[in-house]
Amino acid sequence: MVKHPWLPNSPDEIKKKMLETIGVKDVSELFSDIPEEARIKVDWNKLEIGFGRPLSEIEVKRKIEEYLDKNKIFKNPPPFLGGGAWPHYVPAVVRYIITRGEFMTTYTPYQPEIAYGLMQALFEYQSMIAELLDMEVVNASMYDWASAAAEAFLMSFRVNRGKEKVIVPSTMNPFHEKVINSYLWPHGYKIEKVKHDPETGLMDLEDLKNKLSDKKAAAVYIENPSFLGFIEENAKDIGEIAHDAGALYIIGVDPMSLGVLESPGKLGADIAVGEGQPLGLGLNFGGPYLGIFATKWNMKFIRQMPGRIMGLTTTKTGDQRAFAMILQTREQHIRREKATSNICTNEALCAVAAAVYMALLGKEGFKKIGELILYRSHYAAKKLNEITGVKAPRFKSEFFKEFVVDFNEAGVDYKTIHEELLKRGIHGGLYLKPYYPELGESALYCVTEVHTKQDIDFLVESIKEILGR
Amino acid sequence: MAWRQAKWPEPIIYELGAPGRIGFLVPEIEEEIKKYVGEIKLPDKIKRSSPPELPELSEVEVLRHFVNLTQMTYGVDNGPVPLGSCTMKYNPKIAMEAAFDPRVTMLHPLQDERTVQGLLEMMYLLERWLANIVGMDACTLHPAAGAHGELAGVLIIRKYHELKGQIDKKKEIIIPDSAHGTNPASSSMAGFKVIEVKSDERGNVDIEALKAAVSEATAGLMITNPSTLGMFEENIVEIAKIIHEVDGLLYYDGANLNGIMGYTRPGDMGFDIAHINIHKTFSSPHGGGGPGAGPVCVKDRIVDPDKGIKLSDLLPGPRVVYDEKEKKYKLKWPGPYSVGMLKAFFGNVIPLVWGFTYIMAMGPQGLKEATEQAVINTNYFKKLMEGVKGYTLYYGPERWRKHEIVYSAKPLADETGVNAEDVAKGLLDAGFYAPTIYFPLIVPEALMIEFTDTETKENIERYAERLKEIARIAYENPEEPKKWPKNTAVGRIDAVKANHPRHVTPTWRVYRLRKEGKLGLLK
C-alpha cells in the first residue's frame, strides 16, 4: 500500500470504492490470470530497485545532486572536443520552448486536429532543413547521424535492387562506421573503403572509379566536413562519378557548416543525412541527438524513405490550413514487415529544438556563425602550428571547425598532454591513435562559436608550457 | 462550459518576419583573429553559392510563434491521454529538473571518464535496477527507442544463431497477429522472415497454430505480455517451452511492462531478451514522438560454452561497467561478439536520467502500486462501460484487463455509420485525447484505451460518460459526429489530399516551387 503524489487513486478510500465497483475484494484478484508457474518467485520489495522504498521529492533532489556533483562540466574554456558531437551554444529560447509541457508531454500526432501546433513545428523543421540542404523532402527525424546514414544505405539497396555493396571514405567517422556495420551485416551487404590522399585527406578519385567499375555499388557516401575535419572539396566530382556508375550519392553533413559550405542538393546528393545536435540540442553525453534525413523530389526515392513525414494540407472543408502525417504506407504501423524501416519513436522534440534554433539564426545567422567558426578554428590551428614540434592542421586541405593536431614531433605523448591540460581545467581534443593508428600521437581538436580568443590563447599557452616551449 | 483548444491563425514561419531581422546575435569575429588569420578563401567549388532560404525573424517573433504553436498542442500536462499501448502517464517535473541539469546536458560523450563518474554511476545503477525489474541478468542502455531496442534484440537473436553455426537454417521469427507493427518491421531489418500466428477467442496465442508454425527454421518469437488486447498471455510458459525446444529465443516487447510489475517479470516467464520503454513505463515524456530510450536486457544464457560466450556478450553498447580495482565507472565498448553499435554514442541520457529519477522516487513498492493502479483503472472503466450500447469487447470479454482495454465500435459503425475515427473526434471535442484507433488490427473499429496509473477516477468516469454520450448522439443524429471535432485548433483533416501526388507537401520549399510553377510532377 503506497500513497503517492503521482498516483491519484492510491489513497485507500478511493481504491476501495473502485475495487467495490469492479466487484473484487482485493486488487490481487485482478492478476488471478497469471499462472502460478509464471509468477515472480523472489520478494519484489527486497530487490535492488531504486533505494528500497519510495523517496520524497526532497530526498530525490538531494540524491540527484550528489550524483551530478561528481560530473565535471568544462565551461571555461568549453571542451575542445568534437568527433561527431560538438560543443555549440544553446539559445535560451530553444530550451524554453522545448521544455513547455504541451510540446514535451504530447504524443506522436495520431490525432492531428488536437496536435496542430506540434505538427506545424515539425513541418517547419522539415522546411528549414530542406533549405539548408537544398533538398525537397525531409523526414521528421531519425535517431542520429549514424543511424540516419545506416538507413540511407538500406534505402539505397531498395532503390538500387540487386546491388551488393556501398562505398565509403577511409576517413569516415569510426562510430558511424560501426553503426552502419550493425545495420548492413544481417543482409550480407559489403562496405568498401576508398583510399584517401595521405597529404590532403581527400578521396582518391581513381580508387573510387576502380571500386565502382564492377557496377555493384548501391551508393557512394561521403562526410562533409569529414571526421578528421577537412572539407571534401571534390564532393561534386564524386557525385558525378557515383552517378555514372549507377550508384546513389549520399552526403552526410554537419548543418552548422551549411552557411558557408555548398549544400548537398547542389553537390548532387540523392540522399542527405546529418547530425542535428549542433542545432540547439546540447551535448547530452551522446543523446538524444537528431538524425537528419532528406531526399530529392523523386517518387522512387520518397517511396523508399524511412521515418515519419509531416505534410501541409487543409481541413476536409477546405477552408483551413492543416497538417497530416503523410505517406504512411511506408511505415511499420501500416506496412509491418514490408515497411521501409522499423522506426517509430524518433527524436521529434529535438527536431522542434532545431526548428527554433534555425528560426532564431535565420538566413544571416547561419552565414555569420559559419564564418565565426571558420576564423576561430583557423586561428587556433595557426597558433598551435607555431609551437615547435606541433603541426596543425595535419592535412593540407581546407577545414571547418575540426582539425587534426599532430604531436608526433612534440617529444611528449598525447596522454601526458591530455593529463596536463586536464589539470589546467582544459579538455583537449580526441586522441586519434585508437581509431587511426597511422596518425600516431595526434588529436582531433574542435573550435566553435563557444570558444573565444582567450580560450584559444589559454589552450595554446598551456600546450606550450606542457611541451616546455 | 465546453472545452476549447486555442485556435490561433498562426502563419507558417516563412510567412513571418522581415528582411534583415535577426533572432540571435552572432558575436563578431575578433579583429585580432581576423588580422592574424588573414582572409580565408574556401575553394569556389565547395563554397556555398546561394544563402539558405531561412526566415528572418526577431527573437520575440520566434518566441511568440512557437508559444502559440504549443497552445495548439495537447499533452499529458493538459489532460488525459489514454492512448492504448503508448502509456502516456504523468511525466514528473522533478525528473525533468534532473534530466535537463547542465551537469547532464553539457557532458561530451567522449569526455574523459574520470569527469563523468556521477552520470556513469547513475547509469550503472539504472542497468541493475532495470535488470531486476525484468528478471534478467544484464542490460544495455544504448538503444534510442523501443523499436531500436527491438532491432538490438533481433540482432542478438541473429548473432546467437550465427555463433552457434546454425544461422543458415534459423530464418524465421514468429509474431502474434496482435503485435505492434514494429515487431515484424524489426525482424525484417535483422534479415528474418516473419511468420504470423493468430490469437484464439480468449485473446491468447492460438497454441495449435503456434505449434504448426514452429519448426527447425524458427529463430525466435517476439511477443508482448500483457498483449495489445490488454490481457495476460495465459500460456506463456508453454509458449516458452515450445520455442526453446527448437533452440529459438524468446523476445519480450516491453511496451506493456507497466501491466505486470511486481507480479511477474519477463525473466520469470521464460524470456531470454526484453526491451524496456523508458518513455512509457518509466515516465519520461514522449516529446511529440521522441526522444525515447529503449534499454535491452538479457538472461545469462550460454551461447558457446567452449569460448565462454554468454548472451550478455552480444549486447550492443557502449555499456557502463565498474572497475573494482580502480574504483571507477567505465564505458565498455562493444566486444567481438557484440551486435555492435546502433547509434554513435552511449544512449539517450535525458530520458534515462528521467527514468532513473522516477524509479528512485517510486521504489519497488511504488512501481508495483503503479501497476495495480493502472489495472484497477482499466477494470473500473470496463465496469462503467458494461452494457453501453454501440461498443463491444472481442476476445475474452469476461476476462480481467491489465493496463489497457480494446473496445470495438463495430456495432455503432454498423448501426449508425459512426465509426471509430468519429468516436475519437468526439472525445477530442470533450477535452480528452482520443484512444489509439484501428489497432490492434484484429479488432474491427478498435478503440484501444489505456488510462495508466496516473489518471484520476473522476476523469475515467467523465471519459466513460462521454463515450455514452457519443453513442447516444450517433443513434439520434448520425450526421453530427461526422462534423467533429469542432473544439480543437482545426477541424477534420483531409488526409487523402495530403497524400495525393499532386498535392503532397512535405516542406515549404515544395509549396513554394509548386506555386511558382517550378516543381515537376512527382514520379
Side-chain angles (χ1 to χ4, degrees), chain B residues 59-73:
Chain B
E59 181 172 331
V60 64
E61 289 171 283
V62 174
L63 181 88
R64 283 182 187 151
H65 172 68
F66 285 103
V67 167
N68 284 346
L69 293 184
T70 65
Q71 294 189 342
M72 290 188 278
T73 307

Side-chain angles (χ1 to χ4, degrees), chain B residues 149-220:
Chain B
E150 287 182 21
L151 178 61
V154 278
L155 288 176
I156 289 170
I157 295 177
R158 181 163 203 98
K159 199 75 170 185
Y160 171 83
H161 293 303
E162 200 175 274
L163 288 168
K164 292 187 87 172
Q166 56 193 25
I167 192 64
D168 288 343
K169 57 175 188 179
K170 294 291 187 187
K171 298 212 170 295
E172 298 170 358
I173 297 274
I174 298 178
I175 297 174
D177 58 2
S178 60
H180 300 117
T182 47
N183 290 181
S186 301
S187 300
S188 288
M189 280 185 86
F192 288 113
K193 189 177 165 213
V194 174
I195 307 288
E196 198 175 271
V197 290
K198 62 182 173 59
S199 306
D200 68 16
E201 69 268 17
R202 273 178 71 72
N204 293 318
V205 168
D206 187 318
I207 289 289
E208 290 315 310
L210 177 69
K211 282 180 182 160
V214 168
S215 72
E216 282 305 309
T218 304

Side-chain angles (χ1 to χ4, degrees), chain A residues 72-74 81 427, chain B residues 106-113 115-116:
Chain A
K72 157 105 180 126
I73 317 174
F74 293 87
L81 189 57
H427 201 301
Chain B
M106 289 182 76
L107 300 178
H108 192 287
L110 300 171
Q111 205 171 310
D112 192 298
E113 282 164 359
T115 63
V116 291

Side-chain angles (χ1 to χ4, degrees), chain B residues 7 31 56 64-65 92-93 111 148 159 176 228 266 283 294 304 342 349 406 423 425 438 478 486 488 495:
Chain B
K7 201 175 185 135
E31 279 306 319
E56 295 172 275
R64 283 182 187 151
H65 172 68
K93 302 309 165 200
Q111 205 171 310
H148 211 209
K159 199 75 170 185
T228 57
S283 96
D304 185 330
L342 296 175
V349 300
V406 184
V423 173
K425 304 308 177 196
Y438 300 106
K486 291 177 171 174
T488 47

